């Protein structure tokens, strides 16, 4: 992990590629769109992709396995604080309340678990 | 300008959290600054952070960035008629600076316009993207500065997970979408032991397929 972050080629390669992502998705249709109309089927598929990707990033962070070869999940303050944050978001619809509340819940739970 | 103000507050919060998150996931300050100036895509930045921190291969970071940004392909397809008369470098610029906020403000106002591509429409669009860019960059840089002052023991990188959740939860606005996200989540959990984070790609494929399946199944029922 530390090694990857110390590697400048890797880091700036990632930044460069993500910049290309930004350009490709936001500007390619402006540039070439009149030649490639999006079909209804493609539009439908595109609607589900971002939500699926975001969920797939979040779930392993909240519910990591204890080791790569065992499916025993670590359940700790990350999951519970996330549930508190979701509840706060449903109540208030406010991103700031959700993030601050989730962080406070995380700190409280971590202190509690450590103290146990 | 008045229409833009509430959106700018949201943009400011996002930028701040993203700035802090970049530094707290271990990016050097200068890398974080370059990332915010060039990539200019909060959700793609937040998504890539856990991947970069775990040393995932570059092609996977690229693929994940593309997938999270796919909504902009739909946005730019909808916006294209308004800009098609312009020279290519202007279309490129308008496209690159398009944000969720500018799209959400622009479409209700001009979505049904009889003539698409007037100067007034383009200046409205500019009025949404220029303050948005300055707000985002200011708050992001502020977040990077703050992030390096705050001790790591505060685990502020967890705020990045919360911020990602804040993007994700509002997407669950229909039953097929919920099915798709559940399927993707379960797939991602089961497949997290796979090398190169291939579970992420598997989860996206399963998510799309089950979303479309649920959409068709629900339609038949009615």
């Amino acid at each position: 992990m530390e090694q990857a972050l110390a590697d400048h080629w890797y880091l700036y390669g990632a930044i460069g590629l993500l910049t290309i992502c930004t350009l490709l998705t936001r500007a390619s249709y402006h540039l070439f769109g009149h030649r490639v109309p999006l079909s209804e089927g493609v539009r439908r598929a595109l609607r589900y992709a971002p939500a699926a990707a975001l969920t797939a990033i979040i779930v392993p962070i909240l519910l990591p396995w204890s080791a790569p070869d065992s499916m025993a999940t670590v359940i700790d303050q990350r999951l519970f604080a996330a549930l508190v944050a979701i509840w706060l978001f449903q109540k208030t619809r406010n991103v700031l309340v959700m993030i601050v509340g989730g962080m406070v819940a995380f700190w409280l739970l971590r202190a509690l678990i450590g103290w146990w | 300008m008045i229409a833009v103000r509430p959106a700018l507050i949201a943009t400011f919060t996002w930028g701040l959290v993203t700035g802090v998150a970049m530094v707290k996931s271990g990016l050097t300050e200068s890398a974080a600054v370059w990332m915010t100036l060039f990539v200019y895509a909060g959700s793609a930045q937040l998504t890539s952070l856990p991947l970069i921190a775990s040393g995932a291969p570059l092609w996977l970071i690229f693929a994940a960035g593309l997938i999270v940004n796919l909504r902009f392909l739909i946005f730019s397809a909808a916006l294209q008629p308004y800009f098609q008369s312009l020279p290519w470098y202007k279309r490129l610029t308008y496209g690159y600076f398009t944000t969720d906020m500018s799209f959400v403000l622009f479409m209700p106002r001009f979505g049904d316009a009889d003539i698409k591509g007037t100067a007034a429409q383009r200046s409205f669009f500019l009025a949404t993207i220029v303050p948005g860019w300055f707000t985002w960059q200011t708050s992001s840089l502020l977040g990077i500065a703050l992030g390096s002052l705050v001790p790591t023991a505060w685990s502020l990188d967890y705020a990045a997970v919360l911020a990602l959740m804040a993007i994700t939860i509002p997407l669950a606005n229909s039953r097929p979408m919920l099915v798709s996200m559940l399927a993707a989540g379960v797939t991602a959990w089961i497949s997290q032991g796979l090398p190169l984070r291939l579970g992420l790609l598997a989860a996206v494929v399963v998510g799309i397929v089950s979303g479309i399946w649920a959409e068709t199944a629900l339609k038949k029922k009615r």
Side-chain angles (χ1 to χ4, degrees):
Chain A
M1 171 175 170
E2 307 303 319
Q3 208 161 15
L5 289 165
D7 184 350
H8 286 243
W9 279 109
Y10 177 74
L11 209 52
Y12 287 95
I15 293 172
L17 285 173
L18 286 169
T19 308
I20 295 171
C21 283
T22 301
L23 273 169
L24 271 183
T25 50
R26 295 188 202 200
S28 64
Y29 219 83
H30 285 296
L31 292 179
F32 314 111
H34 46 283
R35 283 179 225 159
V36 229
L38 284 181
S39 73
E40 193 44 44
V42 174
R43 270 173 203 266
R44 264 171 75 184
L46 289 186
R47 270 215 309 279
Y48 293 104
L54 288 166
T55 311
I57 295 272
I58 294 167
V59 166
I61 300 177
L62 296 181
L63 286 168
W65 295 348
S66 52
D69 53 348
S70 85
M71 285 186 38
T73 282
V74 180
I75 294 177
D76 65 3
Q77 67 269 24
R78 281 172 291 193
L79 178 68
F80 295 114
L83 294 177
V84 172
I86 292 172
W87 176 76
L88 279 174
F89 190 65
Q90 298 296 355
K91 276 250 142 132
T92 63
R93 290 273 133 198
N94 184 323
V95 174
L96 200 58
V97 170
M98 173 190 178
I99 293 175
V100 173
M103 277 319 292
V104 171
F106 178 83
W107 290 325
L108 284 176
L109 287 166
R110 187 173 60 180
L112 264 177
I113 291 170
W115 177 67
W116 214 263
Chain B
M1 281 280 37
I2 293 156
V4 179
R5 206 178 300 150
L8 288 182
I9 298 171
T11 307
F12 190 87
T13 314
W14 271 116
L16 200 66
V17 172
T18 309
V20 171
M22 283 190 291
V23 178
K24 283 295 139 189
S25 340
L27 249 67
T28 57
E29 274 171 64
S30 56
V33 170
W34 287 117
M35 194 185 219
T36 197
L37 288 178
F38 279 113
V39 180
Y40 188 47
S43 50
Q45 283 167 234
L46 288 172
T47 303
S48 68
L49 290 176
L51 296 177
I52 292 175
S54 64
L58 286 177
W59 64 264
L60 190 72
I61 294 172
F62 181 68
L66 269 186
I67 294 167
V68 174
N69 268 328
L70 272 180
R71 65 184 187 285
F72 286 106
L73 200 63
I74 301 173
F75 292 178
S76 75
L79 289 170
Q80 192 241 345
Y82 298 86
F83 302 107
Q84 59 185 355
S85 59
L86 297 174
W88 70 270
Y89 58 92
K90 281 195 180 166
R91 280 181 279 154
L92 183 74
T93 315
Y94 277 107
Y96 176 71
F97 290 104
T98 303
T99 61
D100 297 277
M101 173 187 104
S102 54
F103 184 75
V104 165
L105 291 171
F106 186 84
M107 283 326 269
R109 189 174 283 226
F110 298 116
D112 302 322
D114 293 329
I115 308 163
K116 292 185 169 132
T118 64
Q121 290 165 355
R122 282 201 298 271
S123 30
F124 181 85
F125 194 75
L126 260 184
T128 64
I129 59 179
V130 173
W133 190 87
F134 279 106
T135 308
W136 173 264
Q137 300 299 0
T138 313
S139 59
S140 220
L141 295 176
L142 191 68
I144 293 170
L146 286 176
S148 38
L149 294 178
V150 165
T152 310
W154 290 12
S155 302
L156 273 189
D157 49 338
Y158 186 71
V161 184
L162 294 172
L164 269 184
M165 284 168 56
I167 312 175
T168 315
I169 296 166
L171 295 176
N173 54 7
S174 70
R175 251 194 253 179
M177 193 60 95
L178 209 59
V179 171
S180 160
M181 287 162 75
L182 270 176
V186 171
T187 312
W189 181 76
I190 293 174
S191 60
Q192 61 180 279
L194 289 180
L196 308 178
R197 292 270 206 137
L198 284 172
L200 175 59
L201 292 183
V204 173
V205 173
V206 172
I208 292 175
V209 171
S210 39
I212 290 175
W213 169 80
E215 202 180 306
T216 328
L218 283 172
K219 248 186 221 148
K220 265 192 207 139
K221 239 186 185 167
R222 250 174 244 146

